[in-house]
Amino acid sequence: MRGLMQDWPLLIPKVIDYAAAEHGGRAVVSRSVEGPMHRTTYREVRERALRVAKRLDRDGIRVGDRVATLAWNTWRHLETWYGIAGIGAVYHTVNPRLFEDQIVYIMNHAEDRVLFLDLTFVPLVEKLAGRLPTVERYIVLTDAAHMPRTTLPNAVPYEDWLAEADADFRWADVDENAAAGLCYTSGTTGEPKGVLYSHRSNVLHATMTVMPDCFGLSARDTVMPVVPLFHANSWSLAFAAPMAGAGLVMPGPKLDGASVYDILTSERVTFTAAVPTIWFALLQHMEKEGGALPDLTRVAIGGSACPPAVIEAFEKKYDVPVLHAWGMTEMSPVGSICGIKPEVQTEDYEKLLGVKATQGYTPFGVEWKITDDDGVALPHDGRTFGRLKVRGAAVARRYFKREDEEILDEEGYFDTGDVATIDADGYMRITDRSKDVIKSGGEWISSIELENLAVGHPDVAEAAVIGIAHPKWDERPLLIVVPKAGREPGRDELLEFLRPRIAKWWMPDDVVLVPDIPHTATGKILKTALRERFKDYRLPTAV
Amino acid sequence: MRGLMQDWPLLIPKVIDYAAAEHGGRAVVSRSVEGPMHRTTYREVRERALRVAKRLDRDGIRVGDRVATLAWNTWRHLETWYGIAGIGAVYHTVNPRLFEDQIVYIMNHAEDRVLFLDLTFVPLVEKLAGRLPTVERYIVLTDAAHMPRTTLPNAVPYEDWLAEADADFRWADVDENAAAGLCYTSGTTGEPKGVLYSHRSNVLHATMTVMPDCFGLSARDTVMPVVPLFHANSWSLAFAAPMAGAGLVMPGPKLDGASVYDILTSERVTFTAAVPTIWFALLQHMEKEGGALPDLTRVAIGGSACPPAVIEAFEKKYDVPVLHAWGMTEMSPVGSICGIKPEVQTEDYEKLLGVKATQGYTPFGVEWKITDDDGVALPHDGRTFGRLKVRGAAVARRYFKREDEEILDEEGYFDTGDVATIDADGYMRITDRSKDVIKSGGEWISSIELENLAVGHPDVAEAAVIGIAHPKWDERPLLIVVPKAGREPGRDELLEFLRPRIAKWWMPDDVVLVPDIPHTATGKILKTALRERFKDYRLPTAV
């Protein structure tokens, strides 16, 4: 027997319809790529998104077609998302930080028919256009006055293109499970893989992030996603902010410490979110130039683990609580956030900081477990670490055009590739990537924990730990260190530094100093390259 | 093209699964019907709900069957909800305040197979059991020690019945659109009508009420639904609190001012919700006995319009912000809530109180419009009033066993039967029920506004306004007044009191004093009876 409630599908246009109806005058402020600040409202964003939709329709874009964007966070980028999803097409956010070959690969794989691009990226795309046969039209997100001469075929300034349509349009009537967004994971091995979001997954994910213990967004908030729309779905903020009726501040292309400080304070941002790198730069800027963050009521930090020192600086120095979050493109992306449950609330800041340095717990809509290599669930004791697997309303089931490849276990969980502990209060701590964990005598050693400890040594600029083949233990850890300029820490000195901090069997079997460590396009340590480089390394203990 | 995200249906058991997994030790505290306070946790509630499910299954209850409850808010009632929904059956909450014939009618209409009932209601149900042929079993929500002798056929104490099953059970795998809950509207005319909630509508509605600008529930909250589970789905709190990981306090049968004060303060409740009557009683108690509400951070008031004096008392005297809400059984039930948008934020409390006295604006998931009798949309100017119509993810589409009866307009909106204005900032004010509005010369006069003004006169205990047939104007207002004990306000005195407060054409054409006014089972003025009583009344102006 079915319930007798209305059929009200969870469609992305409902979000901007709601914002325009209930919070129509709320400000959407952007630092434009051309330079000046730009101010609009949800009412206008919706109207222009309707025009984007109508104009795309006239260009022959149909339900399910992919339309790419290569753009910073601005009101125009936001309009294109709602316009594209609003005709039932699929917004495909291209990350400009990918290697050129990767951009070409994903755009051809997605068969993007149109590319919306910022002025910034015109030179890049001119180089690639010859290798992008599916793209019929390049729409530069600017007006005629700022339009550069370009070799891009069929290029047009966005404002001229948009002026050719009015807002008299009805959003497409698609199923809530229809594809709406596409985002590729960069990955350190193999080709990038596309995660294909649905209207439903995006709307449900936004409802979950709006909740008080997640981002906790209100109509009285002013939200600045520093995290780009092209980075893991902008952590849902392009949907969550209008759903909550919160004002939006879009920082455009300027993401250095001084610019972020400037816009945070001048626009009186109350909530913001980005990866740790952004916050290092902001804190360094404020350290040097001074300043305060009186309007900011909390900051979300994720994308990679946030060092406790950054949390402490925000909280103690600037009185801004930190929400440490974890997720991935395959999770839309929020998987957990470090809210404070009553059971861990304490007056002891050092203890609280210990909690806040974890990746937190799941909001409603995400389920997780940790397992061993055989899929057996492991205890939540804060010590045992295992493969972190997730299930939920906004978690990937398959990758785009790889639909025959099973990526879920028998219970429907997706293996995140992370290795983690979960403690008795439910707080999760990422200890490693599963491919980087060092398997020594059947036990696991976390490369990341060793690296984090090693960078605590005053002479160490960066550290990586990889497993090296060992005849008795299978693998043993090798510590690879980039010294700070002019320093040359000794092997024994580094090991003695680690000794009191770790279990004896975690001690690296050797240390090597190197001038630099290779990184991925998104700034992570490229361990595959390190493993290749040290594949013939012989540990002194391997006798 | 479908998105490639996981199929994670929005099922009610997911809510208690989540609470048990992430907030398993959080307290669920009840004032038991037997008397003493009772303490349990979400982990135990889930475990016992699984046993309810398994035990119902053994009793032959199947997917879609209706299982009734006639009970106060306690942990046992909560367990039955999750257990019933968890096997795909339908919890049917029976309101003990209905007239006996109505209870018999709805239970037969629903074809309830089992009734869970509190000790309180055993005498009532013993009277009715002979007229309830579909009920196979009566389960009294108590233990063997407190079980009364009873004539109820096949009666058993809940704890004994439950002890016959363990928790080794899997929740039923039903479609998210399957029926999960049934609640009848009492209505002043015709038979009660059943609203049939689905798993999806309840889960979506809960996500919407958890959000910061709605109830704003957090794991650090302690939530007390004074509003009964049998009243309009308990305003979603039986789902929203565990979804947020908030602690729950269930006040059981004692809802007088002293008892509510006692449990609010001793259990350090941070959020509570009820109809105005409850809060009158609490405020009167505190007026007399003194006291403070240091832990309460906000109170939700709905069910009928909340007088500004109650809002002011909470806010100014006890420093507890009020959330004025509106909804109805057909809306699961929340339709709007009076959060403060930045555009109405002000330091001027009188002005703010004017906003807070409105029924607020819609959360994401509800859409509304006001129309004239022909369905034409009216402006949102704060003056024009029209029929309030709603659409959304948790709004009724049809009534149970009346599926051939269309209740939505061409755009899919449900007519709430309320008449309201919506202002330019989106704030809605109920001005009347559409059947009570007085239609004078083609214009509408709000009976409720006249009543609210009239009760402001120092000699008036209660007031009702109805339309009386008029040869020229079609209808004109008659003011019916119950004077305070020992007072006898004059007709002219009352009219002079109103004159400066309303438009001239709103002035009642006559006043009558009466000793009392009839009410519905749920305490509303029974205007049908008043219209019947005054159907031959001749206005002095009707010449």
Side-chain angles (χ1 to χ4, degrees), chain A residues 113-300:
Chain A
R113 292 189 57 194
V114 170
L115 174 66
F116 290 97
L117 72 158
D118 267 338
L119 283 168
T120 321
F121 306 116
V122 169
L124 168 67
V125 178
E126 283 177 338
K127 273 199 286 179
L128 308 181
R131 299 161 66 195
L132 301 172
T134 65
V135 179
E136 300 158 27
R137 170 143 240 184
Y138 293 87
I139 301 169
V140 182
L141 292 162
T142 192
D143 54 22
H146 293 86
M147 185 70 180
R149 284 175 190 272
T150 173
T151 60
L152 288 174
N154 213 359
V156 62
Y158 176 75
E159 295 295 342
D160 283 6
W161 174 83
L162 196 62
E164 293 168 17
D166 61 30
D168 181 18
F169 190 78
R170 282 178 76 94
W171 303 121
D173 181 22
V174 294
D175 186 278
E176 68 179 24
N177 288 303
L182 177 62
C183 187
Y184 284 78
T185 62
S186 53
T188 47
T189 54
E191 299 295 355
K193 286 173 282 191
V195 178
L196 194 64
Y197 305 121
S198 66
H199 286 264
R200 173 183 165 113
S201 69
N202 272 325
V203 173
L204 283 176
H205 186 261
T207 66
M208 145 189 150
T209 58
V210 167
M211 293 186 186
D213 290 339
C214 200
F215 298 150
L217 304 185
S218 149
R220 292 175 304 289
D221 272 315
T222 300
V223 171
M224 180 164 78
V226 181
V227 57
L229 295 183
F230 57 73
H231 178 199
N233 222 10
S234 78
W235 300 2
S236 192
L237 290 170
F239 306 122
M243 179 180 282
L248 257 182
V249 175
M250 302 294 247
K254 292 196 170 176
L255 304 181
D256 60 285
S259 301
V260 167
Y261 178 76
D262 176 58
I263 196 166
L264 271 177
T265 49
S266 62
E267 294 302 331
R268 309 190 65 176
V269 169
T270 62
F271 172 82
T272 183
V275 294
T277 319
I278 295 289
W279 305 125
F280 293 145
L282 175 74
L283 293 172
Q284 272 176 11
H285 168 81
M286 292 179 72
E287 189 69 35
K288 222 173 93 187
E289 305 288 334
L293 300 167
D295 298 300
L296 200 62
T297 57
R298 65 259 188 239
V299 55

Side-chain angles (χ1 to χ4, degrees), chain B residues 256-308:
Chain B
D256 60 284
S259 301
V260 167
Y261 178 78
D262 176 57
I263 195 167
L264 270 177
T265 48
S266 62
E267 295 302 331
R268 309 191 64 176
V269 169
T270 62
F271 172 83
T272 183
V275 294
T277 319
I278 296 290
W279 305 126
F280 293 144
L282 175 74
L283 292 171
Q284 272 176 12
H285 168 80
M286 293 179 72
E287 190 70 34
K288 225 173 92 188
E289 305 289 334
L293 301 166
D295 297 300
L296 199 62
T297 58
R298 66 259 187 239
V299 55
I301 308 184
S304 58
C306 182

Side-chain angles (χ1 to χ4, degrees), chain A residues 377-394:
Chain A
L378 296 171
H380 293 192
D381 58 14
R383 292 187 313 274
T384 311
F385 52 94
R387 290 168 174 275
L388 180 62
K389 297 177 181 176
V390 294
R391 192 165 74 172

Side-chain angles (χ1 to χ4, degrees), chain A residues 6 18 22 213 219 341 362, chain B residues 18 22 176 213 219 341 362 395:
Chain A
Q6 295 187 6
Y18 172 74
E22 282 294 6
D213 290 339
K341 301 182 189 181
T362 59
Chain B
Y18 172 75
E22 283 294 6
E176 67 178 23
D213 290 340
K341 302 182 189 180
T362 59
V395 180

Side-chain angles (χ1 to χ4, degrees), chain B residues 326 328 331 387-390 414-419 433:
Chain B
W326 166 83
M328 57 197 304
M331 301 188 74
R387 291 169 173 274
L388 181 62
K389 298 177 180 174
V390 294
F414 169 79
D415 189 333
T416 63
D418 279 323
V419 169
R433 292 289 296 168

Side-chain angles (χ1 to χ4, degrees), chain A residues 424-506:
Chain A
D425 294 318
Y427 287 81
M428 183 272 286
R429 183 190 294 272
I430 302 282
T431 55
D432 220 333
R433 293 290 295 167
S434 56
K435 61 185 185 305
D436 297 335
V437 79
I438 294 146
K439 297 181 179 177
S440 170
E443 301 287 339
W444 291 6
I445 296 171
S446 162
S447 66
I448 291 178
E449 282 197 33
L450 289 176
E451 290 160 7
N452 286 345
L453 288 169
V455 295
H457 188 282
D459 293 345
V460 174
E462 191 170 15
V465 173
I466 58 171
I468 297 288
H470 189 283
K472 179 170 177 194
W473 301 107
D474 197 18
E475 280 187 347
R476 289 295 303 160
L478 170 67
L479 172 61
I480 302 163
V481 161
V482 181
K484 284 191 182 161
R487 304 295 176 87
E488 201 172 340
R491 174 185 183 281
D492 289 349
E493 184 191 338
L494 288 167
L495 292 178
E496 286 315 311
F497 178 79
L498 293 178
R499 196 176 303 280
R501 294 172 168 83
I502 52 175
K504 197 172 168 195
W505 62 278
W506 277 42

Side-chain angles (χ1 to χ4, degrees), chain A residues 6 39 62 81 156 244 415 417 456 474:
Chain A
Q6 295 187 6
R39 292 175 185 276
R62 296 291 166 253
W81 270 31
V156 62
D415 189 332
D474 197 18

